[in-house]
Amino acid sequence: MAGADWLKTVMRIVFMGTPEFASAALECLVASEHELALVVTQPDRRAGRGKKLQAPPVKALAEKFGIEVFQPEKINTRSARARVVEAKPDVVVVVAFGQILRPLFLALPRHGCLNVHASLLPRHRGASPINAQILHNDLEVGVTIMRMDEGLDTGPIGLRAALPANPRETAGELHDRLAPLGGKLIVEALDALEVGDFVFEPQQAMAATYAGLMSKTDGQLDFRRSAFELDRQVRAYNPWPGAYADLISGDDPHRLKVLECLPQDEQHEGEPGRILEAKGAAIRVLCGSGVLELLQVKPPGRRPMATRDFLNGARLSSDCHFSIPKSSEDSHESD
């Protein structure tokens, strides 16, 4: 074997992932020296207005590279484990797969299961770490390579890579920054793991925070909060589930998705949700603290548009305002 080729090591990998974030890691692994024996992803699901059956992004990429794909409904069954054992992996790489792996599965490969997690663990364990980094105004964002254990993102850490936060970044934009970083980092981890130059350190449990599953209602804006909190909410939930507020104009409510906004450190008298100004390029809304300028919105059934264009076509009454969500405390007080 010529040159230093004999020094190259190859790990046999079973890759498990589903969305676009996982596709970036898969692409990096394909370009590496390591061998992809099998790709495991979620089953095709019906989606969109026509409810057509759609393949996960990871499946489409794996088929492009000619890698065998396995799509079990449940990964922890005996038959699913047997299919992974059949692939003879040295390591299983997990990136946003979408199912919890039980101890019997975690014990299958000799090097265990490595997870690419889109935050700087132990901060933001859980299902939505990218969104949480924006919501909580983190100064640093990043990716962690962790060896999985029975807990929820509690396993020991092998590698972490941090980037400075962008103060105007959306979750979609942060996703696009972290996805290739995760791919680069998992290749580095596998290279080090095979030659034994890899140390896992336990997480500091006292520093842990959690980022749970998101729902559509998480995007509802409550103007009793500060303009700066609401700005982070708009950016954290863009593109999904989307931030929204109900604009009340006479008897004609408009549910507006808010796609872009700008917080202003201004103080005015009045109730939160009151519109200070609705002309030109923005709708200026009074918040619990400060003013939120809505710059881009999406009315129901219409395309996203600049607020200027929305105002050109909207007929808003002089007393229009944004409604305040009814909180559980409000409900209790009214009983």
Side-chain angles (χ1 to χ4, degrees):
M1 188 173 293
D5 285 351
W6 65 274
L7 292 173
K8 293 182 180 179
T9 58
V10 175
M11 299 282 280
R12 187 170 169 86
I13 303 163
V14 167
F15 181 87
M16 302 177 64
T18 302
E20 287 291 347
F21 187 84
S23 294
L26 178 58
E27 198 150 13
C28 286
L29 290 172
V30 168
S32 75
E33 296 293 329
H34 302 291
E35 179 186 359
L36 280 154
L38 180 69
V39 166
V40 184
T41 189
Q42 296 276 32
D44 296 0
R45 306 291 188 195
R46 297 192 182 278
R49 291 186 178 181
K51 296 298 181 183
K52 293 182 179 179
L53 208 58
Q54 294 186 12
V58 160
K59 178 183 179 181
L61 185 62
E63 290 180 339
K64 172 185 173 183
F65 289 113
I67 306 168
E68 186 176 353
V69 176
F70 176 45
Q71 294 179 273
E73 281 287 349
K74 295 181 179 180
I75 190 60
N76 292 293
T77 63
R78 182 179 297 178
S79 60
R81 291 197 304 270
R83 180 66 190 87
V84 172
V85 169
E86 184 182 324
K88 300 179 180 178
D90 297 311
V91 64
V92 170
V93 173
V94 184
V95 190
F97 174 58
Q99 295 185 39
I100 294 173
L101 305 184
R102 303 300 180 193
L104 282 175
F105 190 99
L106 296 174
L108 294 179
R110 66 185 179 97
H111 286 299
C113 299
L114 299 189
N115 177 243
V116 180
H117 188 80
S119 78
L120 299 172
L121 289 172
R123 191 159 174 79
H124 309 311
R125 296 172 176 172
S128 51
I130 291 176
N131 315 80
Q133 289 171 94
I134 296 175
L135 278 173
H136 293 277
N137 203 28
D138 289 3
L139 298 180
E140 280 190 325
V141 296
V143 174
T144 301
I145 305 298
M146 169 195 69
R147 176 176 275 156
M148 299 174 71
D149 63 13
E150 296 179 36
L152 178 62
D153 300 326
T154 56
I157 292 171
L159 286 175
R160 298 201 317 168
L163 298 173
N166 181 336
R168 300 304 310 153
E169 199 163 41
T170 67
E173 291 164 343
L174 180 54
H175 168 283
D176 291 348
R177 278 210 295 157
L178 295 185
L181 179 62
K184 176 177 178 290
L185 211 60
I186 189 59
V187 172
E188 290 180 13
L190 294 175
D191 290 346
L193 188 63
E194 178 62 13
V195 298
D197 187 21
F198 203 46
V199 178
F200 289 91
E201 299 286 348
Q203 293 189 36
Q204 297 179 358
M206 294 295 292
T209 64
Y210 292 87
L213 282 169
M214 297 181 297
S215 69
K216 289 184 178 180
T217 57
D218 289 334
Q220 186 171 20
L221 300 177
D222 185 342
F223 288 99
R224 291 172 293 192
R225 300 171 67 187
S226 79
F228 291 90
E229 287 179 286
L230 294 176
D231 169 61
R232 292 198 296 271
Q233 186 179 356
V234 168
R235 292 185 290 108
Y237 296 143
N238 182 346
W240 197 91
Y244 65 91
D246 290 331
L247 176 61
I248 310 300
S249 180
D251 296 327
D252 184 21
H254 299 268
R255 172 154 290 189
L256 292 182
K257 278 195 171 182
V258 180
L259 305 179
E260 184 182 356
C261 62
L262 193 64
Q264 301 292 351
D265 188 14
E266 302 176 15
Q267 300 306 319
H268 298 268
E269 295 294 328
E271 291 294 319
R274 180 166 71 89
I275 294 177
L276 299 175
E277 191 175 37
K279 64 180 182 180
I283 298 174
R284 289 167 40 82
V285 188
L286 183 62
C287 303
S289 172
V291 171
L292 193 67
E293 295 186 350
L294 312 185
L295 303 177
Q296 187 182 32
V297 298
K298 183 185 181 303
R302 300 178 65 186
R303 60 175 177 80
M305 62 184 67
T307 299
R308 181 191 301 275
D309 297 330
F310 169 73
L311 291 173
N312 285 340
R315 295 180 179 179
L316 303 182
S317 63
S318 59
D319 64 344
C320 64
H321 62 281
F322 284 97
S323 66
I324 301 298
K326 193 171 186 179
S327 67
S328 56
E329 289 183 5
D330 293 337
S331 300
H332 178 75
E333 290 173 358
S334 65
D335 286 344

